């Protein structure tokens, strides 16, 4: 059965119209779901009994089940179980500018990046829009907070689940829904070129981040197998086109791996690759995991890399480290939970 949380407003309007009802019912239902946050169809008090009954027979309204929660000062990590028993993670980060939630988009991931815990579990299935929406609702209720920013950087590759991710964005971006501004939503992709092109045509105003992690094909193909399908000479021109078309600044994520991609040569090569693109580089301290050999770059070397990019006139920031104590690296909590069994 479909969940009521799978439906963007437009699709819910269509649903009502095909059932011979006025489409404003969709707005009323949205109001109960996302503004008043009721948990049962029976609590939607301005909706007729017959309509409630039809809704009940057509949709489920089940929340996600929280099965584990790990808390630190500025971070809170959740493990959820889905209706079919699969498990996913979400991480809430408290920044000075607001509460940012990192949501998962798939159960497992097929991208197979050499350093990433998520990909150790191959993709089992895509998440439904509801399963992404409900990560937000569950955590807002559990912590009694408002989430102000959403990043699609949890388990999964958002552009490998394109339609559901777009429906999810419609629901959270809708002023009648969760009402998160497009500028407060960031999609992160490993670089699936055809989907970057499709996304560029939609003109949604949502931020785009690219997991780059290497300045040349030799190294990038070693770290990220997607680079064999869409190498830099295909990816970079697509991104230039994206910036030209959308007038939005791009983010490049760059995990620093000790002695792998953190040399001064890499910094110079990266600067050259990105020169002239309206972008900034977000340097990410690697979250070490027991399953891979990679080590994190030492603090002073992170700063040297940062300085070199600055000197080369590349906009650069260093990502604040969250949650290494609570196993916040993508996929770590799920994988740890499985091993504990
Ligand atoms: N599939 C998408 C989004 C999920 S990963 C993508 O590739 O962008 C979100 C970010 O976390 C990516 O940049 C990913 O490369 C990075 N990441 C994965 N494992 C990590 C780790 N152990 N430490 C730090 N960052 C990691």
């Amino acid at each position: 059965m479909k969940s009521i949380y799978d439906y963007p407003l437009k699709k819910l309007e269509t649903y009502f119209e095909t059932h011979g009802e006025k489409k404003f019912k969709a707005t009323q239902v949205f109001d109960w779901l996302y503004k008043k946050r009721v948990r049962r169809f029976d609590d939607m008090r301005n909706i007729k009994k017959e309509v409630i009954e039809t809704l009940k027979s057509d949709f489920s309204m089940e929340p996600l089940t929280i099965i584990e929660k790990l808390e630190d000062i500025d971070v809170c990590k959740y493990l959820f179980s889905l209706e079919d028993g699969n498990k996913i993670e979400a991480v809430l980060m408290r920044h000075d500018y607001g509460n940012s939630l990192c949501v998962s988009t798939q159960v497992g991931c097929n991208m197979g990046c050499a350093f990433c815990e998520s990909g150790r579990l191959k993709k089992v299935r895509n998440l439904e829009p509801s399963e992404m929406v409900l990560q937000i609702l569950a955590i807002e209720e559990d912590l009694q907070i408002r989430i102000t920013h959403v990043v699609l950087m949890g388990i999964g590759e958002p552009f490998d689940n394109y339609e559901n991710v777009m429906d999810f964005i419609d629901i959270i971006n809708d002023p009648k829904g969760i009402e998160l501004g497009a500028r407060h939503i960031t999609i992160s992709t490993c670089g699936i070129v055809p989907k970057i092109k499709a996304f560029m045509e939609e003109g949604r105003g949502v931020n785009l981040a690219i997991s780059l992690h290497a300045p040349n094909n030799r190294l990038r193909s070693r770290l990220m197998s997607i680079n064999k399908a869409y190498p830099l000479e295909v990816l970079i021109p697509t991104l230039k086109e994206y910036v030209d078309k959308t007038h939005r600044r791009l983010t490049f994520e760059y995990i620093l791996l000790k002695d792998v991609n953190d040399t001064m040569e890499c910094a110079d090569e990266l600067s050259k690759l990105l020169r002239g693109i309206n972008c900034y580089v977000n340097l990410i301290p690697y979250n070490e995991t027991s399953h891979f050999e990679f080590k994190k770059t030492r603090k002073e070397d992170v700063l040297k890399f940062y300085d070199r990019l600055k000197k080369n006139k590349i906009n650069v920031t260093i990502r604040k480290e969250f949650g290494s104590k609570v196993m916040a690296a993508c996929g770590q909590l799920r994988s740890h939970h499985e091993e504990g069994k």
Side-chain angles (χ1 to χ4, degrees), residues 240-263:
K240 285 183 175 160
E241 196 187 333
Y242 176 91
V243 172
D244 282 347
K245 258 219 164 100
T246 61
H247 306 292
R248 303 301 314 282
R249 182 200 258 195
L250 268 178
T251 304
F252 285 99
E253 296 161 276
Y254 195 98
I255 301 178
L256 285 167
L257 303 165
K258 189 172 186 305
D259 301 330
V260 175
N261 66 355
D262 63 351
T263 61

Side-chain angles (χ1 to χ4, degrees), residues 88-239:
I88 53 161
E89 303 172 23
V91 184
L92 188 276
M93 293 159 286
R94 299 174 199 267
H95 292 275
D96 42 15
Y97 57 78
N99 296 314
S100 171
L101 186 69
C102 176
V103 304
S104 291
T105 55
Q106 297 179 317
V107 178
C109 181
N110 274 349
M111 299 302 118
C113 298
F115 48 81
C116 180
E117 194 76 24
S118 302
R120 293 203 319 121
L121 176 69
K122 285 284 155 255
K123 179 170 98 176
V124 176
R125 67 172 176 82
N126 285 327
L127 292 189
E128 298 298 324
S130 57
E131 291 168 325
M132 295 180 254
V133 169
L134 287 165
Q135 295 173 49
I136 299 176
L137 298 186
I139 293 173
E140 287 197 333
E141 177 170 308
D142 187 59
L143 296 177
Q144 291 293 305
I145 53 160
R146 263 293 119 94
I147 287 164
T148 57
H149 294 71
V150 165
V151 296
L152 283 74
M153 296 186 185
I155 299 172
E157 166 51 47
F159 281 172
D160 186 36
N161 183 14
Y162 192 85
E163 298 302 324
N164 288 350
V165 163
M166 292 306 130
D167 279 357
F168 165 62
I169 287 172
D170 281 342
I171 296 167
I172 66 174
N173 186 217
D174 199 313
K176 293 181 170 131
I178 294 182
E179 206 177 354
L180 271 167
R183 302 284 193 271
H184 288 204
I185 303 170
T186 302
I187 298 188
S188 176
T189 179
C190 62
I192 302 182
V193 166
K195 295 297 159 57
I196 295 173
K197 289 189 169 163
F199 184 68
M200 157 168 87
E201 300 302 331
E202 304 211 19
R204 285 167 176 273
V206 168
N207 304 307
L208 185 63
I210 306 294
S211 294
L212 192 63
H213 307 329
N216 60 58
N217 282 327
R218 183 186 43 78
L219 192 52
R220 193 164 192 266
S221 294
R222 202 182 113 204
L223 296 175
M224 303 174 72
S225 42
I226 191 73
N227 196 66
K228 294 170 197 153
Y230 307 111
L232 292 172
E233 64 275 16
V234 176
L235 178 63
I236 297 293
T238 306
L239 296 173

Side-chain angles (χ1 to χ4, degrees), residues 42-135:
D42 287 322
D43 292 338
M44 300 182 174
R45 280 181 280 103
N46 58 357
I47 296 175
K48 298 188 297 226
K49 193 91 192 111
E50 311 93 84
V51 177
I52 294 277
E53 290 310 315
T54 323
L55 285 172
K56 275 190 194 166
S57 62
D58 287 347
F59 302 107
S60 77
M61 208 175 146
E62 287 303 303
L64 295 184
T65 313
I66 299 174
I67 52 175
E68 201 172 325
K69 176 179 167 187
L70 295 174
E71 248 182 309
D72 211 330
I73 300 170
D74 49 8
V75 59
C76 193
K77 176 141 194 170
Y78 288 85
L79 187 69
F80 294 107
S81 103
L82 307 174
E83 253 180 275
D84 61 4
N86 279 304
K87 296 181 189 72
I88 53 161
E89 303 172 23
V91 184
L92 188 276
M93 293 159 286
R94 299 174 199 267
H95 292 275
D96 42 15
Y97 57 78
N99 296 314
S100 171
L101 186 69
C102 176
V103 304
S104 291
T105 55
Q106 297 179 317
V107 178
C109 181
N110 274 349
M111 299 302 118
C113 298
F115 48 81
C116 180
E117 194 76 24
S118 302
R120 293 203 319 121
L121 176 69
K122 285 284 155 255
K123 179 170 98 176
V124 176
R125 67 172 176 82
N126 285 327
L127 292 189
E128 298 298 324
S130 57
E131 291 168 325
M132 295 180 254
V133 169
L134 287 165
Q135 295 173 49

